[in-house]
Structure formats: structure tokens, C-alpha cells
Amino acid sequence: MNKTNALRLLLASATALSSIVVMTAPASAQTTVSSIRGRVTDSAGAPVPGATVTLSSAGTGRTQTATSGANGTYILNGVRAGTYRIAVTGSDKGAFEQDIAIGVGQAATVDARLGTPATDTAAATPDDGAGSQIVVTGSRLRETRTSEIATNISQEQIRVLPQTDRNFLSFAALAPGVRYNDSETDKSFSSGASPASQVNVFIDGVSLKNKLREGGVAGQQNSRGNPFGQLAVQEFRVITQNYKAEYEQAGAAVITAVTKSGTNEFHGEVFGQYTDRSLTEKSFIDKRDGNAKPAFERKQYGASLGGPIIKDKLFFFMAYEGNDQDRAFNVRSNGADDAIAEFEQFSGRQISDFEGAFVSPFRSDFYFGKLTLTPNENQTFDVSFSRREETDIQGFGDNVAYDYAENKINVVDTYQFKWTYDDDTVVNEFSANYLSYKFNPTSLNPDLPAYDYQGVILFGGKDSTRREVQENYNFRNDLTYTGFSGHAIKFGARIEFTDILFDNQAYIQPRYYFRREPNNNLNFAFPAEARLGLGSGLINASNTQLGLYIQDDWDVTDKLQLNVGLRWDYESNGFNNRYKTPAAAAAALRALPATDYFNPENYISDGNDRSPFKGAFAPRFGFSWDVKGDRSTVVFGGAGRYYDRNNFNNTVDELSRTINPIGLFRFSADGQPRDGQPTVAWDPAYLTREGLLALVNANPEVGLPELFAVKNNAKPPVNDQFSLGVRQRIGIFETSVTASYQRGRNGYTNLFATRNNAGFGTCCDGELLAAVRAAGYSNVLIGYDGLDTRYKALYFTLDKNYTKQSGWGLNIAYTLSKSEKNGGDLFSLDAPTPDSYGWRNSPGDERHRLVISGIVDLPLGFQFSTLTTLGSGQAYQVTDGTNGASSGFNDFTARYPKKNCIKGVFAFCEINVTLAKNFALFGKDDQVNFAVDVLNIFNSKNFSGFDGFFNNTINPATGQVTDPLLPANGANASNMLTLPRRVQFRVGYRF
């Protein structure tokens, strides 16, 4: 879809949805707002019907009202996160008042007993939405009667807890079952056994879903940047499981965040934080290998301002954050001595030519602006804009030389318009937003070939330069009706138009693969394979996504609530639906035998054979039972189905390899077949692009591209989730224990369609390959929606939130889990189907994970906080190449690192602490903050980058195992999951 058509559709959709709003007298999307419900009683405990419940915002003065029903119950929907005063009056029954704070997405309860003073059991100093904690004191509402497994992260935690680089996603690790990747080149998160691609992040209801690739969040594809400026985030909610029908495009955890808004008072903030090489310990690996201490410097800075333009009516908020980092990575081969010697012998290069410390510069800028208009008590309008720009030179280190690096250029823009209307029984939210995501990783040396010496060194130019653009035009309307006693009925519709531009300049210069396989007569004397791009082309695609849902939160009794919902999603072009199979490709497919997992006709399309999947019905059910009626003991549970979507990258090869074919060349010493496939006798003339092109011209059957074919009736990934738990108040603590089970299906992968033994043997059948070559292809890979995952877990949480009154807070999240998968990832080429792999522990699986955060006030205005993470060690994949390292001959298992922390109890330990001093500068309405973070205070050695490949064949030249598997310990690790101990200074001023 081009922009002109999109704008026309925008106007049409806005008109249509606005008409719906008018006709239905339109409730708020729970993705951004909350609800408060409760029961009004008199001093004797009898229900009070007809009582007026008024909720007044401390920041803007805006009010919302509700009237209690015949049984004394009331519901306030569409409540924005922030601080409020709730007042209840009955005609002759007295009154009730309480200052409260509510988090984003919460379903909270406030019971009012008229004529009795309100109790403030958890007095806090919550945020007013503009970053100030100075005006109002209230009790932060506890959420107990909900079936969702969710964790709210407050502004206090975001501001106070120690943190490496101001990425608000890092606090997602405070939720059980969620893992945050805090590496120096990747800041993503995942949950359960699902890949990162199945999470979703909503900012003010705007989905940041990455539709192009597996990063999950737009802009987070192998990025060390932050998806959204932390200075603009008021607070957020992590929903691990059982999220309701209004949430879309996620099969795993969902994060929903709300941004700050202006209020009736001017509030602002300026901050800076700094750390560098002199404040950092030298790492264990650098000491072990005799490396110099690498360069390192990180500077982060920013400012925000918010306030009134017209008091009580129009408000503004704006923020900026900068992030400048220079981090050196060491290039050092971890290859075996005999492999390095063989590389130097045949390549004529010394491994020392590539080794050393090289700086990886990263620069990021984030801008945010927001206007909020409240023309009357029933309406709120929001308009906002954000931009994230970053450049990041990365892709080198360990066995990868600096000249193979690329500059990853990221630009993410969002625009949003939102209108909210509410009255006593109806709340409506309409939003229109636009997201533009531009990803442009560019090779630093595009004119150099790449040379990959397996297990020793990869050098030369990066094999691709890409320009990928995702544009989303999204319109959504959500309505909640509470006119039926005990019911909050919500339904909504969403339509999104997505345009994608994909320009992948792959293998413009060849990439050569060198392997040491004595059983195949291969060594580093010549490459076993080479790849070369034989064309170029631009791909444009469009997709329309429609989502409908309805749900009911039904208070069956004062103690029992049921959450029942149904969601349906539809995509017009989820699997390249209008693709027309070329005649040669159809001939190659029809030359292959049908099996129980492959029917050639199901991979051939005339442009009308791939009907959009219409079966994405997702029922969701949950319950919460307040056993005693006082919210001290609540049993809860749920079951639901959650559909995600297929990433564009999964199926783009079918088209891109047609217009930009990648030639695959196989070489040998004698030109004899290997693994059932023909080879060409090696000639040094082939070590250039021109030499390979000459080979193709001389022999058209050499360098043929692979054929990729997509299954016509492929289904989107789906995750079925089940949970059962109990929440228990124990004195001042809120605890919970939850059992969780998740089962994922329909993950997309690619298989060989040319196997021996009628499709069930090894790869590949020579006769079938001959027929495929006759059609102009070297091999056939077919798409298959058969990747499965399963996850079993037990979650435990203990929370005592920080309050100014008590002066301390403690939050503990423990996860006992097991995650498993079948198959590979995007490629499952080493067995006929993913099921043939059997179940194995997923990479990243970790049995035990404990996260502890705490805040405590100290004398003289000091404050101490900690964020501690302890883990038993994440699984990593190990490849057995004994039968040959070519695709189709490997076996896969999972291994775990050695436990070396706290006397062998854990394999991962990171204890971060902060000491802060806060004081007023000009009066009580401002605050200066000085803080010192000591990150990884005990200098724990959290190793990663273990040996993941072995070949147990005997090398006749040495009489030794060709490539043994090295133990997963500090002696063999090539990297660290966390930086060594370092000190970071922070300073800030707020008013």
C-alpha cells in the first residue's frame, strides 16, 4: 500500500469508527488504563445503593464518577495510572475519602464503608504522571482479584533501582518467567519457551511489534539501544500469562507502558550518568588471555519538561535522552592449536593479524512530545510523537574479525492520536497511530569477500547490506459498558495496514566456507563451499490485519470473578499469499516424491492458492476467588489461546531468492560427489567473484540457487497457556505461588525436500537432486509450520512495595522452569521434520532464577537499593558434527555452564547496588539526586560463548579427535554475560 492510499484508508477508517462511537455512545483499552471496583456499605456493613463515587486526579483535577448499584457495587473504568482522591457519599449514610495510587492496567479494588475513617495500610508517595513525587501522598492499590499473572513496575522502581543503561525493559526481569538479555550487543527480552519474536510491547497502546524480523520489538534487532526513552515512561506492567482478549500479536509476555503527561504544575527533570574504563575492573577473560584492558566509555543524559498550557484544560510534556557508548571488543580466536596452525599454513595469514581490541561506537538519540486536552469531564484528547535514532558498529569479536563488522542504523518513529470518552457506565477509547521502522545494517567493507574458517576466524566484508522499512497505519476502538450489575463488558476492533520494503544486497561479494572434515577429505587448503549473489531486486509487500474481541469481567458473587473473552484475528497477506510460483520452480517441486509432511501441490501457487487463515479464534478464560472476602487469600487461574503472527523474514526467501538468487558452489579436491551432491574440483581462480561467475558461465549447472517454497496452508504460531495459583497476604507481605504450563505450535521453519529413502533418510538423494538441477536449482527447501515448544514452571513472588512511611520495600521473584523445543530455528535441516529431532532443552532454558530488588531509606537522607539476579545457568546448543558438518548431518543437544558462583550453587550472579542522596535545593518542591551505582559488585564471572561444536572423528594426520568439545567453564569461555565490576555515577535535578 502506498502512502496516498493509506491516508485515504485512514480517513475512511476514522470516519467509520467515529460513526460507531457515536451510535454506541462509547471504554478504554486495558492496554493503557485501569479499573477500580468495590462495594459501598454503611457503618453496619449493609450495602448502600445509589452512592456517588468520585475519583479526582491529583495532577489535572479531572474527575470521574460512578453510582453504586442495588448491592452497593460500583465500577470506574478508563482510569489512567496516577494518584487520585476517591470520595464516596451516600445521602444520609456519611462519607468516605482516601488518597490512592493506581498502576497501569490494574484491576484494583476499593471498598468504602461510610461513616468510618479510611485506613491507609500502604501509604506511598506515588507519581502524578509528570515525574513529580512531591505533591500527593496516597496508598498504592493492591491488585489481588485478577486472573492475570502480572507485575507492575512503578516510577519509584524505575527511578531508584540500579540499572546499567536506562533501558526500562531491564526491569521486566522483576516478573517471574521473564528473562532480559543485558548483553553489550542485544537488549531484548523473552518469556517461557517462546522466542523473542513472540513478545510485544505497547507504549500508550501503540504496538511496537517487529513485523520484519525476530527481534519482537521494532528496533531491538540485535540492538544495545533502548526501545523508548525511560525519562518519558511513567510506569509499565509485565503480563507473563493470562492476558485478556484485548491484547494482540503475542504468544508470550506482553509489556504495556504509559508515558508521562503534563499537569497543572510545571515539572521538569535533568539527568546525567557516566562510567568508563577507569571505573571498570579488568575482566577475567582479558586477564586470562593477556589482553590489554579494553576501551570503554558510556555517557547518558537527558531532560524533560511538562506543565499546563491552559490550566485544567491543555497540558504538554516533552523529553529527550542521549546515549553515547564506546566499547572495545576483543577479537581472539578460540580455535584449537592445530586448527589455527592449519589456517596459517594454507591461508598465508597469521591469526595475530586479526586479533586485538577494537572499539564499537554506539550513538542514540530519543525525542518525545505529548499534548493532552481535557475540554470537559467526559473527554480527553492525546497527541504524541516519538523518534529513536541510533547507529551501532558491531558484529565482530571472538572469532569474527573487525573488518567483518557492519553499521546497524535504526530509526523508529511513532505518531499517535487518542480520544477517550467516559461517563457513568460507558468508556470509549479511539486511537489512530503510525509507526515507521527503518533498519539499515551496512557492511563496513562491502567490496571484500568473506572467508569463514570454521572454528578459527571469519574475516573480510560482511556478506550483506540491507535496507528494511516497516510502516504501520493502525486504527483501534475499544468500548466498555458497565450498565449491567456485576459486569464490565468490553469489546473492540482494530485494523492495521502494513507496508514493507525489503532490499537485501546479499553476497554481492562471495563468502567462502572452509571446513576440517577428514572423513570428507576436507581441510583448510580450499573452501568446501561458497555463496554468491547472482541478482538484485527490491521487494514491496503490504498486509491488512483485522482484530475483533469481546470480553466480560463478571463478578458472579462478592468473592468470585470470572473473566471470559474471545478474540479473532485475520491477516490478508500473512504468508506471501499472492505469490505466483515460476514454472521452473513448479517443475522442480513436482519432481519430488510426496510424503506425509510434503505434498508438492501444496507448495505451488498461481496467486490464488493461499487463502488467508481465518481460524485464529482465541478463547480466553480466567477466574479469581476471594476465599474469605477480604482479599487476603485469592485462588486464581486461567486458560487461553494466543495467536501471534508470522515474521516477514520467515517467508521472504521464496520471493527474494527468485529475484536475487544466491548461487551455492561446492568444492572438493577431486570433483567427486559429497553427501549426495555434486562438487567441482577446486581451482584458485574461483577465489574471486569474477572467477565464480566465469565458472557459472562455463557450466550452467554450477552455482545454482536453492529453491525456497512456502506451504500454501501454513498457519500462524499459536500458544496455549494454563495456570493455577494462589495469592496470600502474610502480614505486610503479598505472596503468590503459580503453576504454569504453555504449549507452542506452528512455528515456521525450513526443511530439505530431497532426502533419501522417500523423504525420510539423510540428505540428499542424488537422483532427486539431478531432477532439481535440470529445473535450474541446486536443492529444494520447503517451509513447514511444525516448530513446537513446551514450558512448565512454578512461580513464587513476595512483595512489600516501598512506601515513604515505612522507608523500605522488598520484591522477590523466583522461577522454577523447564523449556523445551523440537527442530531447529528458521532452518531444521538435520532431520526430516522438527518432530524427528525429538524434544530437547531450549537454548536459554534455566532451571532456577531468583530476582531480588529492594529499597531502604538510610539516615541523613541517603537511600540504598539493590537489584540482584541469581541463576542456575542458561542452556546453550551443542552441535555434533561427527557425521559431517554439512546441513543434514548434524545432531543437536543442550548443555549447561559450570556453576561457579556462591560455592557452586549458581552459574549466574549479578548483584547491583546503589547509594543515593536526595536533598532539596530551592525548597520542598525540587530535589537534587546524587547516586553511585556499583554494578556486579562482587565481580562475578558470568561466562558465555562456550564451545558449541565437536567432531569426534580421528584426524589421521595427528591420531587425535578432530575437534573435541571443550568443557563449559572459565578456561574455555569466549565471552561474559555481564561486564566486570564497574562504578557508575548519576546526578539529577527535578522540580
Side-chain angles (χ1 to χ4, degrees), residues 3 44 74 139 145 188 277 297 319 340 365 390 399 409 438 450 472 588 616 645 716 744 759 767 788 839 879 977 981:
K3 291 186 177 179
Y74 72 92
S139 61
R145 291 186 59 178
S188 60
R277 177 178 181 272
E297 183 181 47
I340 292 175
D365 295 285
E390 64 184 38
N399 282 7
I409 303 170
K438 298 175 183 176
N472 300 339
R645 63 180 309 280
E767 293 183 3
D788 294 345
W839 290 103
T879 303
L977 287 171
R981 178 170 52 233

Side-chain angles (χ1 to χ4, degrees), residues 149-218:
I149 303 174
T151 302
N152 276 69
I153 312 299
S154 69
Q155 178 64 208
E156 187 79 26
Q157 291 171 299
I158 294 173
R159 180 178 289 131
V160 173
L161 291 177
Q163 189 182 20
T164 58
D165 62 354
R166 293 184 60 84
N167 188 332
F168 80 93
L169 288 183
S170 65
F171 295 119
L174 296 175
V178 177
R179 295 178 305 279
Y180 173 68
N181 186 3
D182 196 17
S183 83
E184 284 298 292
T185 57
D186 187 5
K187 304 288 186 179
S188 60
F189 76 100
S190 59
S191 74
S194 301
S197 61
Q198 292 196 22
V199 302
N200 204 349
V201 171
F202 297 86
I203 305 289
D204 287 337
V206 178
S207 169
L208 298 186
K209 186 76 172 183
N210 188 338
K211 309 292 178 64
L212 284 166
R213 291 188 174 267
E214 61 274 11
V217 181

